[in-house]
Amino acid sequence: MRVLLKLVQIEFCKLRRKKLIWLMLLSAFIMPFFAFLYFGYLGQTDIAPANFYKWSAFGFTLFIILPFILGLFGTMLMHDENRYDMLKQLWIVPVSKMGYFFSKFFVVLIYSIGFMLINALASVLFSVIPNYVSFGWGSIAFLLERSLEIAVLTALAVLPILAVSALQKGYILPICITLIYVLAGFLITPVNSCLHPLSCISVIIARNGAISELTLPQNSVPLALVSIGLWVAASILLVNIKLGKRK
Protein backbone atom coordinates (compact mmCIF):
# COMPACT_ATOMS: atom_id res chain seq x y z
CA MET A 1 0.00 0.00 0.00
CA ARG A 2 2.86 2.37 0.85
CA VAL A 3 4.47 1.67 -2.52
CA LEU A 4 1.18 2.38 -4.29
CA LEU A 5 0.78 5.72 -2.51
CA LYS A 6 4.36 6.59 -3.42
CA LEU A 7 3.65 5.84 -7.07
CA VAL A 8 0.56 8.06 -6.99
CA GLN A 9 2.62 10.87 -5.46
CA ILE A 10 5.25 10.48 -8.18
CA GLU A 11 2.57 10.64 -10.86
CA PHE A 12 1.30 13.98 -9.56
CA CYS A 13 4.85 15.30 -9.42
CA LYS A 14 5.22 14.47 -13.11
CA LEU A 15 1.90 16.13 -13.94
CA ARG A 16 3.13 19.51 -12.72
CA ARG A 17 5.08 19.86 -15.96
CA LYS A 18 2.06 19.13 -18.17
CA LYS A 19 0.01 22.31 -18.29
CA LEU A 20 -2.44 20.89 -20.85
CA ILE A 21 -3.72 18.40 -18.29
CA TRP A 22 -4.69 21.18 -15.90
CA LEU A 23 -6.19 23.28 -18.71
CA MET A 24 -8.46 20.33 -19.57
CA LEU A 25 -10.21 20.89 -16.24
CA LEU A 26 -11.72 24.05 -17.75
CA SER A 27 -13.99 21.81 -19.81
CA ALA A 28 -15.92 21.23 -16.57
CA PHE A 29 -17.43 24.69 -17.17
CA ILE A 30 -18.80 23.86 -20.64
CA MET A 31 -22.20 22.41 -19.79
CA PRO A 32 -22.96 24.69 -16.81
CA PHE A 33 -22.30 27.64 -19.12
CA PHE A 34 -24.49 26.23 -21.90
CA ALA A 35 -27.23 25.48 -19.37
CA PHE A 36 -27.01 29.12 -18.28
CA LEU A 37 -27.36 30.27 -21.93
CA TYR A 38 -30.17 27.81 -22.67
CA PHE A 39 -32.41 28.78 -19.77
CA GLY A 40 -31.56 32.44 -20.30
CA TYR A 41 -32.65 32.17 -23.95
CA LEU A 42 -35.93 30.55 -22.89
CA GLY A 43 -36.39 33.28 -20.29
CA GLN A 44 -37.17 30.73 -17.61
CA THR A 45 -36.79 31.48 -13.91
CA ASP A 46 -37.60 29.53 -10.77
CA ILE A 47 -36.22 26.33 -12.33
CA ALA A 48 -36.20 23.11 -10.34
CA PRO A 49 -32.57 22.48 -9.27
CA ALA A 50 -32.58 18.90 -10.61
CA ASN A 51 -33.75 20.19 -14.01
CA PHE A 52 -30.86 22.64 -14.28
CA TYR A 53 -28.35 20.08 -13.01
CA LYS A 54 -29.62 17.56 -15.56
CA TRP A 55 -28.28 19.92 -18.22
CA SER A 56 -25.15 21.07 -16.43
CA ALA A 57 -23.88 17.87 -14.78
CA PHE A 58 -26.02 14.82 -15.55
CA GLY A 59 -26.22 15.04 -19.35
CA PHE A 60 -23.41 15.58 -21.82
CA THR A 61 -20.92 16.03 -18.99
CA LEU A 62 -21.58 12.44 -17.93
CA PHE A 63 -21.94 10.85 -21.36
CA ILE A 64 -19.32 12.67 -23.44
CA ILE A 65 -17.16 15.35 -21.81
CA LEU A 66 -15.89 13.61 -18.66
CA PRO A 67 -15.31 10.15 -20.26
CA PHE A 68 -13.41 11.71 -23.17
CA ILE A 69 -11.31 13.89 -20.86
CA LEU A 70 -10.49 10.90 -18.63
CA GLY A 71 -9.66 8.75 -21.65
CA LEU A 72 -7.31 11.42 -22.97
CA PHE A 73 -5.85 11.94 -19.51
CA GLY A 74 -5.23 8.20 -19.04
CA THR A 75 -3.55 7.98 -22.44
CA MET A 76 -1.23 10.84 -21.52
CA LEU A 77 -0.38 9.15 -18.22
CA MET A 78 0.64 5.95 -19.97
CA HIS A 79 2.36 7.45 -22.99
CA ASP A 80 5.85 8.35 -21.72
CA GLU A 81 6.56 5.03 -20.00
CA ASN A 82 5.39 3.07 -23.04
CA ARG A 83 7.12 5.26 -25.60
CA TYR A 84 10.55 5.19 -23.97
CA ASP A 85 10.30 1.62 -22.61
CA MET A 86 10.59 2.88 -19.04
CA LEU A 87 8.55 -0.05 -17.78
CA LYS A 88 11.63 -2.28 -17.87
CA GLN A 89 13.26 -0.02 -15.28
CA LEU A 90 10.12 -0.01 -13.12
CA TRP A 91 10.04 -3.81 -13.00
CA ILE A 92 13.59 -3.79 -11.59
CA VAL A 93 12.80 -1.35 -8.70
CA PRO A 94 10.76 -3.58 -7.94
CA VAL A 95 7.26 -2.30 -8.71
CA SER A 96 4.51 -4.83 -9.27
CA LYS A 97 2.96 -4.57 -12.70
CA MET A 98 -0.57 -4.34 -11.36
CA GLY A 99 0.57 -1.86 -8.72
CA TYR A 100 1.87 0.31 -11.55
CA PHE A 101 -1.48 0.06 -13.35
CA PHE A 102 -3.56 0.80 -10.24
CA SER A 103 -1.41 3.83 -9.43
CA LYS A 104 -2.44 5.24 -12.81
CA PHE A 105 -6.07 4.42 -12.08
CA PHE A 106 -6.02 6.21 -8.72
CA VAL A 107 -4.58 9.32 -10.40
CA VAL A 108 -7.42 9.17 -12.94
CA LEU A 109 -9.91 8.75 -10.08
CA ILE A 110 -8.58 11.80 -8.21
CA TYR A 111 -8.61 13.82 -11.42
CA SER A 112 -12.20 12.74 -12.08
CA ILE A 113 -13.29 13.81 -8.59
CA GLY A 114 -11.61 17.20 -9.05
CA PHE A 115 -13.31 17.63 -12.43
CA MET A 116 -16.78 16.92 -11.06
CA LEU A 117 -16.29 19.16 -8.02
CA ILE A 118 -15.43 22.01 -10.38
CA ASN A 119 -18.47 21.15 -12.48
CA ALA A 120 -20.69 21.14 -9.38
CA LEU A 121 -19.34 24.53 -8.29
CA ALA A 122 -19.91 25.95 -11.78
CA SER A 123 -23.44 24.48 -11.83
CA VAL A 124 -24.29 26.26 -8.59
CA LEU A 125 -22.75 29.56 -9.72
CA PHE A 126 -24.45 29.59 -13.13
CA SER A 127 -27.82 28.68 -11.63
CA VAL A 128 -27.99 30.59 -8.34
CA ILE A 129 -26.29 33.90 -9.26
CA PRO A 130 -28.67 34.67 -12.18
CA ASN A 131 -31.60 33.55 -9.96
CA TYR A 132 -32.53 30.63 -12.19
CA VAL A 133 -32.50 28.34 -9.15
CA SER A 134 -33.25 29.19 -5.54
CA PHE A 135 -30.32 28.58 -3.21
CA GLY A 136 -30.84 25.57 -0.97
CA TRP A 137 -28.44 23.33 0.93
CA GLY A 138 -30.55 20.27 0.13
CA SER A 139 -30.23 20.71 -3.64
CA ILE A 140 -26.50 21.45 -3.36
CA ALA A 141 -25.98 18.33 -1.24
CA PHE A 142 -27.87 16.32 -3.88
CA LEU A 143 -25.65 17.77 -6.63
CA LEU A 144 -22.46 17.01 -4.70
CA GLU A 145 -23.58 13.47 -3.91
CA ARG A 146 -24.45 12.66 -7.52
CA SER A 147 -21.33 14.43 -8.81
CA LEU A 148 -19.07 12.31 -6.62
CA GLU A 149 -20.93 9.20 -7.75
CA ILE A 150 -20.39 10.20 -11.38
CA ALA A 151 -16.69 10.88 -10.72
CA VAL A 152 -16.03 7.48 -9.14
CA LEU A 153 -18.18 5.47 -11.55
CA THR A 154 -16.82 7.20 -14.65
CA ALA A 155 -13.25 6.54 -13.51
CA LEU A 156 -14.22 2.86 -13.28
CA ALA A 157 -16.02 3.06 -16.63
CA VAL A 158 -12.90 4.27 -18.46
CA LEU A 159 -10.77 1.39 -17.15
CA PRO A 160 -11.07 -0.36 -20.56
CA ILE A 161 -9.53 2.72 -22.18
CA LEU A 162 -6.80 2.85 -19.54
CA ALA A 163 -6.12 -0.83 -20.19
CA VAL A 164 -5.71 -0.21 -23.92
CA SER A 165 -3.45 2.78 -23.22
CA ALA A 166 -1.26 0.63 -20.97
CA LEU A 167 -0.63 -1.76 -23.85
CA GLN A 168 0.05 0.77 -26.61
CA LYS A 169 3.02 3.05 -27.26
CA GLY A 170 1.21 5.69 -29.30
CA TYR A 171 -1.60 8.17 -28.88
CA ILE A 172 -3.64 7.44 -31.98
CA LEU A 173 -5.21 4.05 -31.21
CA PRO A 174 -6.18 4.82 -27.58
CA ILE A 175 -7.73 8.16 -28.56
CA CYS A 176 -9.65 6.57 -31.44
CA ILE A 177 -10.92 3.86 -29.11
CA THR A 178 -11.89 6.56 -26.60
CA LEU A 179 -14.01 8.33 -29.22
CA ILE A 180 -15.68 5.08 -30.29
CA TYR A 181 -16.23 3.99 -26.69
CA VAL A 182 -17.81 7.30 -25.65
CA LEU A 183 -19.99 7.50 -28.76
CA ALA A 184 -21.10 3.89 -28.29
CA GLY A 185 -22.21 4.62 -24.73
CA PHE A 186 -24.23 7.62 -25.89
CA LEU A 187 -25.95 5.67 -28.69
CA ILE A 188 -26.57 2.46 -26.75
CA THR A 189 -28.33 4.12 -23.81
CA PRO A 190 -31.76 4.49 -25.49
CA VAL A 191 -31.58 0.81 -26.52
CA ASN A 192 -30.13 -0.89 -23.44
CA SER A 193 -29.09 1.19 -20.47
CA CYS A 194 -27.35 -1.67 -18.64
CA LEU A 195 -25.01 -2.80 -21.41
CA HIS A 196 -22.41 -0.04 -21.59
CA PRO A 197 -20.68 1.28 -18.42
CA LEU A 198 -21.55 4.90 -19.23
CA SER A 199 -25.19 3.94 -19.67
CA CYS A 200 -25.12 2.12 -16.35
CA ILE A 201 -23.97 5.30 -14.61
CA SER A 202 -27.09 7.11 -15.80
CA VAL A 203 -29.22 4.32 -14.31
CA ILE A 204 -27.47 4.63 -10.95
CA ILE A 205 -27.62 8.42 -10.60
CA ALA A 206 -31.26 8.55 -11.77
CA ARG A 207 -32.41 6.00 -9.20
CA ASN A 208 -35.68 6.61 -7.34
CA GLY A 209 -36.76 9.11 -10.00
CA ALA A 210 -34.21 11.67 -8.78
CA ILE A 211 -33.75 13.13 -12.26
CA SER A 212 -37.05 14.10 -13.85
CA GLU A 213 -37.82 13.47 -17.53
CA LEU A 214 -35.00 10.94 -17.83
CA THR A 215 -36.49 7.74 -19.18
CA LEU A 216 -34.32 4.67 -19.58
CA PRO A 217 -35.10 1.23 -21.07
CA GLN A 218 -33.82 -0.45 -17.90
CA ASN A 219 -33.64 1.07 -14.43
CA SER A 220 -32.22 -1.79 -12.36
CA VAL A 221 -29.41 -0.41 -10.20
CA PRO A 222 -28.09 -3.89 -9.18
CA LEU A 223 -27.91 -4.91 -12.84
CA ALA A 224 -26.08 -1.69 -13.69
CA LEU A 225 -23.55 -2.29 -10.89
CA VAL A 226 -22.99 -5.87 -12.06
CA SER A 227 -22.44 -4.68 -15.62
CA ILE A 228 -19.85 -2.11 -14.54
CA GLY A 229 -18.18 -4.76 -12.37
CA LEU A 230 -17.89 -7.14 -15.33
CA TRP A 231 -16.29 -4.46 -17.52
CA VAL A 232 -13.86 -3.57 -14.72
CA ALA A 233 -12.95 -7.22 -14.10
CA ALA A 234 -12.40 -7.85 -17.82
CA SER A 235 -10.15 -4.79 -18.09
CA ILE A 236 -8.04 -5.77 -15.07
CA LEU A 237 -7.74 -9.34 -16.35
CA LEU A 238 -6.59 -8.12 -19.77
CA VAL A 239 -3.96 -5.83 -18.26
CA ASN A 240 -2.77 -8.54 -15.89
CA ILE A 241 -2.27 -10.99 -18.75
CA LYS A 242 -0.64 -8.54 -21.14
CA LEU A 243 1.65 -6.87 -18.60
CA GLY A 244 2.60 -10.31 -17.29
CA LYS A 245 4.06 -11.11 -20.70
CA ARG A 246 6.22 -7.99 -20.77
CA LYS A 247 9.84 -8.34 -19.85
Side-chain angles (χ1 to χ4, degrees):
M1 186 65 181
R2 184 178 300 177
V3 174
L4 182 60
L5 292 176
K6 186 65 176 179
L7 288 173
V8 172
Q9 182 182 2
I10 292 172
E11 289 296 332
F12 276 105
C13 289
K14 291 190 294 184
L15 291 179
R16 289 185 298 182
R17 297 174 293 179
K18 298 181 179 180
K19 296 181 180 179
L20 177 61
I21 286 177
W22 303 110
L23 289 175
M24 289 192 306
L25 289 173
L26 294 177
S27 59
F29 288 90
I30 292 176
M31 288 313 300
F33 179 68
F34 275 104
F36 163 75
L37 294 180
Y38 173 74
F39 287 108
Y41 175 77
L42 295 179
Q44 294 186 9
T45 57
D46 195 23
I47 304 166
N51 195 23
F52 188 94
Y53 300 151
K54 182 179 69 175
W55 281 84
S56 66
F58 306 147
F60 287 108
T61 298
L62 161 61
F63 281 104
I64 296 178
I65 297 176
L66 179 58
F68 178 76
I69 291 296
L70 293 185
L72 182 60
F73 178 63
T75 300
M76 296 172 71
L77 284 178
M78 295 290 188
H79 179 258
D80 289 342
E81 284 91 343
N82 288 325
R83 181 181 180 184
Y84 300 111
D85 287 329
M86 295 172 60
L87 294 180
K88 295 178 181 178
Q89 301 177 27
L90 291 175
W91 304 158
I92 298 173
V93 171
V95 173
S96 71
K97 296 176 181 181
M98 292 308 296
Y100 157 79
F101 178 75
F102 281 119
S103 70
K104 301 288 187 179
F105 166 72
F106 281 119
V107 174
V108 171
L109 174 60
I110 295 170
Y111 190 86
S112 180
I113 292 173
F115 184 99
M116 286 308 300
L117 288 177
I118 294 173
N119 178 270
L121 175 62
S123 297
V124 173
L125 292 178
F126 282 113
S127 61
V128 173
I129 292 179
N131 291 321
Y132 291 166
V133 173
S134 300
F135 180 84
W137 289 112
S139 62
I140 293 176
F142 168 77
L143 174 63
L144 286 175
E145 176 193 344
R146 291 298 196 267
S147 295
L148 290 175
E149 289 179 6
I150 291 172
V152 174
L153 292 171
T154 307
L156 291 171
V158 299
L159 263 177
I161 299 173
L162 195 63
V164 172
S165 301
L167 307 176
Q168 297 292 323
K169 291 187 177 181
Y171 276 113
I172 298 178
L173 181 60
I175 291 178
C176 289
I177 291 178
T178 298
L179 289 171
I180 295 172
Y181 184 78
V182 171
L183 183 61
F186 183 73
L187 295 177
I188 288 174
T189 299
V191 179
N192 190 320
S193 51
C194 288
L195 184 61
H196 195 285
L198 297 178
S199 303
C200 294
I201 298 173
S202 64
V203 173
I204 295 169
I205 67 167
R207 64 188 181 275
N208 300 325
I211 302 176
S212 61
E213 300 178 7
L214 181 61
T215 57
L216 299 166
Q218 291 81 28
N219 56 10
S220 172
V221 174
L223 182 59
L225 290 172
V226 169
S227 180
I228 292 176
L230 291 175
W231 279 85
V232 169
S235 302
I236 293 174
L237 181 61
L238 174 64
V239 171
N240 192 28
I241 293 173
K242 293 296 184 180
L243 288 182
K245 295 179 179 180
R246 285 195 178 185
K247 304 297 181 182

